[in-house]
Amino acid sequence: MAKLKFPENFWWGSATSGPQSEGRFKKKNRNIFDYWYDIDKKVFFNEVGPDVASNFYNSFKEDIALYKKIGLNSLRTSIQWTRLIKDFETGEVDEDGVRFYNEVIDEFIRQGITLVINLYHFDMPIELQEKYGGWESKHVVELFVKYAKKAFELFGDRVKYWMTFNEPIVPVEAQYMYKFHYPLIVDGKKAMQVLYNTALASAKAIEAYGEYKKRTGNNGEIGIILNLTPSYPRSENEEDIKAAEISDAVFNNSFLDPAIKGEFPRLLTDILEKDGVLWESTQEELDTIKKNTVDYLGVNYYQPRRIKARETEFDMSSGWLPDKYFENYDMPGKRMNIYRGWEIYPKAIYDIAKNIQENYGNIKWFISENGMGVEGEERFKNAEGVIEDDYRIEFYREHLTHLHKAIAEGANCFGYHTWTPIDCWSWTNSYKNRYGYISVDLPTQIKTVKKSGHWIKEVSESNEIEGWDM
Ligand code: BG6
């Protein structure tokens, strides 16, 4: 296939997060993962926790130089609430946290890499989880806004791209429905309140940023990162289609609609109301959500959902869950990333792009994560010690070809960030699956560019890819 050219000034970048890259060095407070690791190491693959991660706290200068070396022109990471803020109630900052993030930001500027800063990446301070139930509480929403305001004041002069949340639906699922993040609660009603409170926290942070911009004349932008997992029905049968629509309302449109349109999808609120699990809200809060929508959107895409109408009665013994209305469908013959257990379906990137173009005012957006986690990558090391991750290059080329098609048809996509620049710590999977353009040897923290890192440099420099035959 021919070369495919991307729009001018396209972002060729990558994403990581504070808790997954920095390590806990000199951090005054603990988030839920720090705490969970302290009390139950066995939960984490090979018992590797977030203590060191990829050592970004100590090696950020060298790491950012490596980003530059592989041609990344933009990069996302997150500030850790638990590093920047010493006292969550008063918003008092930790001086070392301020120093660290200042130096990181200045280093990105020195290297000429556009920085996107995210404020929350699954990392609820344990103190607020224990005291108030984390996002269950509207007081925590206020504390988050206090923290966001501090971040804007401290860093807004240099950071021009902000994100309020990364994948806010994940804590809803992981902490309150399907038990894969601490505190492993199964409570659908609480989950829905958490969903609402997070959307509110995002809108209030956007509002605070607007006030900051007005006061300072700053011209930055603020958005949200959503993991969009399109729900494909098993068949054209009406019940399957309905089930997929509900699944989309719960997992995708629940955040996409308020973020862009300023209101929640009716399909979702009608169901929640009927089932007696609708969140508590006030008119004033709903007005805040209505008025404070995003400037731009980040889309994380890894996998689709395959959905069917329920074939078995939903077991209500653990109370209400949205799964009452749909079931996952194990589609025969689907392509899998066997290490992560996720389906590979590149065309969904095109479908997401068309959805944003046609149903969300063609708002500007970028792919903020796409990637392939592979276990045991050392076996692909060549004589020079470089991991030859051709499978990752192919994965990216295929996804980018679908993205390119959508852009050619008018989708307003301005960039492609992969997960992740340097192999990083992945929650309970720790370092099991590696995603980076650059590998990290854990005992020595030696970092080596993989074949895909050399590939992205060429792509970024030429602003084109070798198209994939579709
Ligand atoms: C995204 C997250 O869901 O996927 C990252 O934003 C995460 O934090 C990445 O690391 C890859 O998923 P995992 O679970 O394999 O680490």
Side-chain angles (χ1 to χ4, degrees):
M1 211 202 197
K3 301 258 187 213
L4 302 176
K5 208 62 189 161
F6 283 77
E8 244 178 82
N9 302 320
F10 203 70
W11 279 6
W12 295 105
S14 201
T16 185
S17 76
Q20 294 177 269
S21 61
E22 290 170 13
R24 284 166 70 178
F25 309 98
K26 295 215 179 122
K27 197 156 74 93
K28 293 278 179 322
N29 287 299
R30 292 189 291 178
N31 63 41
I32 51 169
F33 284 92
D34 301 329
Y35 171 77
W36 199 11
Y37 183 67
D38 288 347
I39 61 164
D40 195 359
K41 298 198 171 24
K42 284 191 199 59
V43 170
F44 299 84
F45 185 79
N46 285 346
E47 301 195 14
V48 175
D51 293 358
V52 177
S54 303
N55 197 36
F56 186 75
Y57 178 86
N58 298 306
S59 62
F60 68 91
K61 285 201 173 129
E62 293 82 355
D63 290 3
I64 297 170
L66 282 172
Y67 304 162
K68 183 73 183 175
K69 185 173 163 198
I70 61 166
L72 304 182
N73 59 22
S74 49
L75 197 120
R76 180 206 1 150
T77 188
S78 70
I79 290 175
Q80 297 199 63
W81 194 350
T82 48
R83 183 184 288 290
L84 185 65
I85 303 293
K86 185 153 83 184
D87 181 325
F88 301 114
E89 302 288 342
T90 63
E92 189 195 340
V93 294
D94 176 68
E95 284 313 322
D96 187 66
V98 175
R99 176 204 57 80
F100 171 66
Y101 290 118
N102 266 326
E103 288 184 15
V104 166
I105 291 163
D106 290 345
E107 192 60 21
F108 273 105
I109 292 172
R110 214 175 63 76
Q111 291 281 14
I113 300 175
T114 300
L115 178 62
V116 181
I117 284 287
N118 172 36
L119 292 170
Y120 188 86
H121 199 122
F122 310 166
D123 52 341
M124 175 60 67
I126 186 64
E127 186 186 320
L128 303 183
Q129 187 71 43
E130 305 274 270
K131 249 197 200 161
Y132 303 113
W135 294 118
E136 294 166 48
S137 151
K138 290 194 183 164
H139 179 58
V140 170
V141 171
E142 295 310 322
L143 298 184
F144 175 75
V145 176
K146 204 173 254 186
Y147 148 60
K149 280 183 180 164
K150 273 273 154 38
F152 302 147
E153 293 296 338
L154 288 164
F155 311 123
D157 58 333
R158 286 153 295 151
V159 175
K160 297 297 176 191
Y161 296 95
W162 291 91
M163 289 293 186
T164 56
F165 284 85
N166 173 77
E167 303 189 346
I169 194 68
V170 168
V172 175
E173 297 176 65
Q175 295 189 282
Y176 291 93
M177 301 205 292
Y178 308 127
K179 296 215 280 192
F180 50 96
H181 290 178
Y182 186 85
L184 308 166
I185 292 170
V186 182
D187 187 326
K189 185 163 168 45
K190 273 189 186 167
M192 293 303 109
Q193 190 67 51
V194 163
L195 189 158
Y196 172 79
N197 288 353
T198 318
L200 178 63
S202 177
K204 286 194 159 206
I206 292 172
E207 184 179 43
Y209 188 58
E211 285 159 9
Y212 164 79
K213 284 203 325 185
K214 217 182 208 169
R215 195 161 38 72
T216 57
N218 193 292
N219 61 353
E221 299 187 15
I222 191 159
I224 193 166
I225 297 153
L226 302 180
N227 53 314
L228 299 182
T229 51
S231 304
Y232 296 98
R234 166 181 53 182
S235 73
E236 289 304 303
N237 171 311
E238 210 182 301
E239 277 89 54
D240 284 338
I241 291 176
K242 187 79 201 157
E245 281 172 3
I246 297 177
S247 159
D248 259 345
V250 173
F251 297 115
N252 298 316
N253 304 343
S254 55
F255 279 104
L256 192 57
D257 283 19
I260 296 174
K261 300 179 176 170
E263 45 194 50
F264 294 95
R266 272 298 291 274
L267 178 59
L268 177 64
T269 51
D270 283 353
I271 286 175
L272 300 184
E273 189 148 34
K274 174 169 80 64
D275 289 351
V277 291
L278 186 62
W279 46 69
E280 278 171 31
S281 62
T282 66
Q283 194 50 51
E284 198 187 341
E285 290 165 356
L286 294 171
D287 290 345
T288 301
I289 292 170
K290 182 79 201 169
K291 279 192 244 143
N292 295 286
T293 53
V294 296
D295 298 321
Y296 71 124
L297 178 71
V299 173
N300 292 356
Y301 173 68
Y302 291 91
Q303 56 169 342
R305 282 175 199 274
R306 304 284 173 187
I307 295 293
K308 63 181 178 185
R310 285 208 70 90
E311 286 173 342
T312 52
E313 187 76 14
F314 177 66
D315 173 12
M316 286 288 281
S317 58
S318 305
W320 182 92
L321 283 181
D323 308 59
K324 185 177 164 188
Y325 295 99
F326 49 78
E327 274 184 83
N328 290 326
Y329 165 57
D330 193 10
M331 190 177 77
K334 61 185 177 190
R335 277 165 68 190
M336 292 296 291
N337 170 355
I338 51 166
Y339 311 101
R340 190 58 183 85
W342 285 348
E343 181 181 346
I344 299 177
Y345 185 61
K347 180 180 173 282
I349 240 174
Y350 173 83
D351 295 339
I352 289 170
K354 295 311 276 187
N355 184 32
I356 296 172
Q357 187 177 358
E358 285 161 13
N359 303 316
Y360 292 89
N362 208 14
I363 188 172
K364 62 178 174 181
W365 64 283
F366 73 114
I367 288 287
S368 41
E369 282 181 36
N370 179 223
M372 188 181 184
V374 171
E375 190 172 359
E377 284 200 310
E378 314 78 58
R379 73 199 132 114
F380 301 111
K381 243 184 211 169
N382 66 16
E384 284 81 50
V386 172
I387 291 171
E388 299 195 328
D389 53 347
D390 294 86
Y391 42 86
R392 181 167 290 113
I393 297 171
E394 300 303 278
F395 178 97
Y396 290 154
R397 276 183 52 225
E398 196 176 353
H399 282 81
L400 278 164
T401 303
H402 286 277
L403 182 63
H404 186 273
K405 180 166 180 255
I407 293 172
E409 292 175 19
N412 201 0
C413 174
F414 65 87
Y416 181 77
H417 280 192
T418 59
W419 187 263
T420 188
I422 296 176
D423 286 345
C424 68
W425 184 76
S426 275
W427 319 112
T428 54
N429 272 336
S430 300
Y431 278 89
K432 174 179 171 288
N433 304 313
R434 306 299 181 101
Y435 287 84
Y437 284 130
I438 297 161
S439 67
V440 60
D441 175 59
L442 283 186
T444 60
Q445 285 288 335
I446 290 175
K447 291 162 183 167
T448 313
V449 178
K450 300 181 194 173
K451 190 170 174 185
S452 60
H454 296 286
W455 171 81
I456 191 63
K457 183 174 169 55
E458 275 175 36
V459 170
S460 167
E461 280 170 359
S462 62
N463 203 29
E464 62 184 23
I465 61 154
E466 192 81 46
W468 183 266
D469 282 320
M470 296 202 288

